[in-house]
Amino acid sequence: MEKEENSEESEMMIYKPLPVEVRVTLEQHSLLLGPTQSSIKKGEDTFLMSYIQTRTPVIPEELTTQFKKNFPLKIGRPAKENKKTRTRKKVLTSIEKRRLGLHKLPKTGIKYKACAPLHQLWVEYMENFLELENSAKAANKDLLYQRIAKADYHGCLLMVTRSKCPSYIGAKGIIVLETKNTFQIICEDDQLRIIPKRDSVFTFNVSKWTFTLFGSHMNIRPSERAARKFKSKPTIDL
Amino acid sequence: MISPEVVNFDPPRFLNQEYTVKRDQILNKVPSEEFGNHFHGITAVLPGEIPEIAEIQDFFLDSIFYRVEKFPVHKLLEPDFLSAFLKKGSLDARTLGTWSDVDQSIIFESGKLHLSVGKDVYQELGLSGHTEITSSRKQTATYRVTIDVRDEKFIPDCKYYKRVFWCLKNQVCLQFDWIMSWQPHDVDICPSSFAAYLDLLGFGVAQCKPMFEERILTQTHIPMLHPETDLLDVIEWVGAAALNITCPKEEDYASSMICPEPSYKSEKVHILKWRGFFPSSQAKQLLGVILRLHPEVTETTQPAWFNLTFHGFDEFRTAPNIWSVFTTTSDACHVFTSQTSRRKIK
């Protein structure tokens, strides 16, 4: 009974008309705002919105941050990372080498002028290696050809003279990388060009001699080419 | 031993085609410029009394062409030459003395330079092209390279121009004897300025004029273009007339060449022959003149015709060698083309 009475009282409290002071302030507020440009209904809404906005201090961002608070319920171990740590070996595996990008050259970073000293070094190396004074004048040039086949061409100034694809013809530059199937050369306009060896014929100069390389027959990795034995042919087809 | 048969060559394979074209479209079709059509001979067979014959007789009176010796290709693309003669006016040029089946040849026509080169030269040239003849057991491949000189990109500053120029200069073997003719774009410029320029550069230039021959036959029987008659018979008659062979109405003891039926008798036939170097533009002009002529009236309903035959050069056998056009008063023109080649014609 008491409870009912209490509830009735509280109900009465809620449903009582507003006290006079508050009613007056509300009317004053509406007068202050004045008539709005939109319709009367809208006017009431905007008034309502502005009334509520001044009374509620909470910014939505704050709310979200408040909701995001973590309540740790259980202390558990974090998930184990399956990281492959490096073994004791000192040499990089080929997968690691590929991942590190050791086999790729940047397309725009290299300058031709920077490679010119490399070319000088190569010329000296070739002159020593080929022993041109002896081997070029000898009747049997097998020694010379073998040396050419085994030589290292990094730094050689190469030019494409014949090719099945017309756009490779005339490409001239210093070899910066030699792979199994390609020559990667840096041209005079600092452009890195990758030229496949197959179906192309290249020429290069050493002192006053010009040599021709048949690319189709040189599809071997440079490291393996040094150990390979080549058969000598009288004439060569493209 | 009775003379053994030592030499027995098959006749070259040929392809004859006949079709009818409407009068207003004929100038577009015949001759087509895409196949590098220059002509070394034009023959006109015009039966009947023609008042405008003087105009036709004098048609090629002013045309001159030049024979230039040992002219390398890259000289055609030098900046001065390019701006003066290639970009303005129209140049028609062709290499002389080269057979398309055997050697390489170059044609310059309607602003485009066409090179027909063998496999070795193509692999050293550096310009991209298409296979003209595919490689087979009997023959290595021949490639066709086309360069559009009238393109906006083809200026001396441009990378494309520099590449083309370098490639052609690098290839030393592309040096030939040429036959050239230049039509200026402006009436004030004399065509011989072209020859003077070449002479100044130090090349041997010889001026040549086309050869002209005319015959008038009287009282001859002329075949009519009946729908039932075979066009090939009429063509044969035209060829015989041009070669001064008479084809009477009745069969003669000496020869079996007769005038194909149906036929009519005409008072006069003009046969005009020109031999020289004619670009397709000039040929088209002549065809336009012929189209405007009015043929004579025959006894029957079938109209009389005029014939104009163009003989092309041997090169680039993808195009027919001989074009023969019959024009009548009706809307339809009959065209006969013949193409010969040692190889299979597809």
Coordinates of all heavy atoms in Angstrom, one line a residue, chain A residues 159-164 166-171 238, chain B residues 119-120 122-129 163 166 170:
Chain A
M159 N 77.1 -4.0 -78.8 CA 76.1 -3.5 -79.7 C 75.4 -4.6 -80.4 O 76.0 -5.6 -80.8 CB 76.8 -2.6 -80.8 CG 75.9 -2.1 -81.8 SD 76.3 -0.5 -82.5 CE 75.4 -0.6 -84.0
V160 N 74.1 -4.5 -80.6 CA 73.3 -5.5 -81.3 C 73.3 -5.2 -82.7 O 72.9 -4.1 -83.2 CB 71.8 -5.5 -80.8 CG1 71.1 -6.6 -81.4 CG2 71.8 -5.7 -79.3
T161 N 73.8 -6.1 -83.6 CA 73.9 -5.8 -85.0 C 72.8 -6.6 -85.8 O 72.4 -6.1 -86.8 CB 75.3 -6.2 -85.6 OG1 75.6 -7.5 -85.1 CG2 76.3 -5.2 -85.2
R162 N 72.4 -7.7 -85.3 CA 71.4 -8.5 -86.0 C 70.5 -9.1 -85.1 O 70.9 -9.6 -84.0 CB 72.1 -9.6 -86.8 CG 72.2 -9.4 -88.3 CD 72.8 -10.6 -88.9 NE 71.7 -11.5 -89.4 CZ 71.9 -12.3 -90.4 NH1 73.0 -12.4 -91.0 NH2 70.9 -13.1 -90.8
S163 N 69.2 -9.1 -85.4 CA 68.2 -9.7 -84.5 C 67.0 -10.0 -85.2 O 66.6 -9.4 -86.2 CB 67.9 -8.8 -83.3 OG 66.9 -9.3 -82.5
K164 N 66.3 -11.1 -84.8 CA 65.0 -11.4 -85.4 C 63.9 -10.3 -85.0 O 63.0 -10.1 -85.8 CB 64.5 -12.8 -84.9 CG 64.9 -13.9 -85.8 CD 64.2 -15.1 -85.5 CE 64.6 -16.2 -86.5 NZ 64.3 -17.5 -86.0
P166 N 63.2 -6.5 -84.8 CA 63.9 -5.3 -85.3 C 64.2 -4.2 -84.3 O 65.1 -3.4 -84.4 CB 62.9 -4.7 -86.4 CG 62.1 -5.9 -86.7 CD 62.0 -6.7 -85.5
S167 N 63.4 -4.2 -83.2 CA 63.6 -3.1 -82.3 C 64.9 -3.2 -81.4 O 65.4 -2.2 -80.8 CB 62.4 -2.9 -81.4 OG 62.2 -4.1 -80.7
Y168 N 65.5 -4.4 -81.3 CA 66.7 -4.6 -80.6 C 67.9 -4.1 -81.3 O 69.0 -3.8 -80.8 CB 66.9 -6.0 -80.2 CG 66.0 -6.6 -79.2 CD1 65.4 -7.8 -79.3 CD2 65.6 -5.8 -78.0 CE1 64.5 -8.3 -78.4 CE2 64.8 -6.3 -77.1 CZ 64.2 -7.6 -77.3 OH 63.3 -8.1 -76.4
I169 N 67.8 -4.0 -82.7 CA 69.0 -3.7 -83.5 C 69.4 -2.3 -83.2 O 68.6 -1.3 -83.2 CB 68.6 -3.9 -85.0 CG1 68.2 -5.3 -85.3 CG2 69.8 -3.5 -85.9 CD1 67.6 -5.5 -86.6
G170 N 70.7 -2.1 -83.0 CA 71.2 -0.7 -82.8 C 71.3 -0.4 -81.3 O 71.8 0.6 -81.0
A171 N 70.9 -1.3 -80.4 CA 71.0 -1.0 -79.0 C 72.5 -1.2 -78.6 O 73.1 -2.2 -78.9 CB 70.2 -2.0 -78.2
L238 N 72.2 -18.2 -87.8 CA 71.6 -17.3 -86.8 C 70.7 -18.2 -85.9 O 69.8 -18.8 -86.5 CB 70.9 -16.2 -87.4 CG 70.2 -15.2 -86.4 CD1 71.2 -14.5 -85.6 CD2 69.3 -14.2 -87.1
Chain B
K119 N 65.6 -11.6 -96.1 CA 65.7 -11.9 -94.7 C 66.9 -11.3 -94.1 O 66.8 -10.8 -93.0 CB 65.7 -13.5 -94.6 CG 65.7 -13.9 -93.1 CD 65.8 -15.4 -93.0 CE 67.2 -15.7 -92.6 NZ 67.6 -17.0 -92.2
D120 N 68.0 -11.4 -94.7 CA 69.3 -11.0 -94.1 C 69.2 -9.5 -93.9 O 69.6 -9.0 -92.8 CB 70.5 -11.3 -95.0 CG 70.7 -12.8 -95.0 OD1 70.5 -13.4 -93.9 OD2 71.2 -13.3 -96.0
Y122 N 66.6 -7.6 -93.7 CA 65.6 -7.2 -92.7 C 66.1 -7.5 -91.2 O 65.8 -6.7 -90.3 CB 64.3 -8.1 -92.9 CG 63.2 -7.8 -91.9 CD1 62.5 -6.6 -91.9 CD2 62.9 -8.8 -90.9 CE1 61.5 -6.4 -91.0 CE2 61.9 -8.5 -90.0 CZ 61.2 -7.3 -90.1 OH 60.2 -7.1 -89.2
Q123 N 66.9 -8.5 -91.1 CA 67.4 -8.8 -89.7 C 68.5 -7.8 -89.3 O 68.9 -7.7 -88.1 CB 67.9 -10.2 -89.6 CG 66.7 -11.2 -89.5 CD 67.2 -12.6 -89.4 OE1 68.3 -12.9 -89.7 NE2 66.2 -13.5 -89.1
E124 N 69.0 -7.1 -90.2 CA 70.0 -6.1 -89.9 C 69.5 -4.6 -90.0 O 70.1 -3.7 -89.5 CB 71.2 -6.1 -90.8 CG 72.0 -7.4 -90.6 CD 73.3 -7.4 -91.5 OE1 73.4 -6.5 -92.3 OE2 74.1 -8.3 -91.4
L125 N 68.3 -4.5 -90.5 CA 67.8 -3.2 -90.8 C 67.3 -2.5 -89.5 O 67.8 -1.3 -89.3 CB 66.6 -3.3 -91.8 CG 66.0 -2.0 -92.3 CD1 67.1 -1.2 -93.1 CD2 64.9 -2.2 -93.2
G126 N 66.5 -3.1 -88.7 CA 66.1 -2.4 -87.5 C 64.7 -1.8 -87.6 O 64.3 -1.2 -86.6
L127 N 64.0 -1.9 -88.7 CA 62.7 -1.3 -88.8 C 61.7 -2.5 -88.9 O 61.9 -3.5 -89.5 CB 62.5 -0.5 -90.0 CG 63.4 0.8 -90.1 CD1 63.4 1.4 -91.4 CD2 62.9 1.8 -89.0
S128 N 60.6 -2.3 -88.2 CA 59.7 -3.5 -88.1 C 58.8 -3.5 -89.4 O 58.4 -2.5 -89.9 CB 58.8 -3.4 -86.9 OG 58.0 -2.3 -86.9
G129 N 58.5 -4.7 -89.8 CA 57.7 -4.9 -91.0 C 57.0 -6.2 -90.9 O 57.0 -6.9 -90.0
R163 N 65.4 7.4 -85.7 CA 65.6 5.9 -85.8 C 65.5 5.4 -87.2 O 66.4 4.7 -87.7 CB 64.5 5.2 -84.9 CG 64.4 3.8 -85.0 CD 65.4 3.1 -84.2 NE 65.3 1.6 -84.4 CZ 66.3 0.8 -84.0 NH1 67.4 1.2 -83.5 NH2 66.1 -0.5 -84.3
W166 N 68.6 6.6 -89.1 CA 69.8 5.8 -88.8 C 69.8 4.4 -89.4 O 70.8 3.9 -89.9 CB 69.9 5.8 -87.2 CG 71.1 5.0 -86.8 CD1 72.3 5.5 -86.6 CD2 71.1 3.6 -86.4 NE1 73.2 4.5 -86.1 CE2 72.5 3.3 -86.1 CE3 70.2 2.6 -86.4 CZ2 72.9 2.1 -85.7 CZ3 70.6 1.3 -86.0 CH2 72.0 1.1 -85.7
N170 N 72.5 3.1 -92.0 CA 73.4 2.0 -91.5 C 73.4 0.9 -92.6 O 74.5 0.2 -92.7 CB 72.8 1.5 -90.2 CG 73.8 0.7 -89.5 OD1 75.0 1.0 -89.5 ND2 73.4 -0.3 -88.8

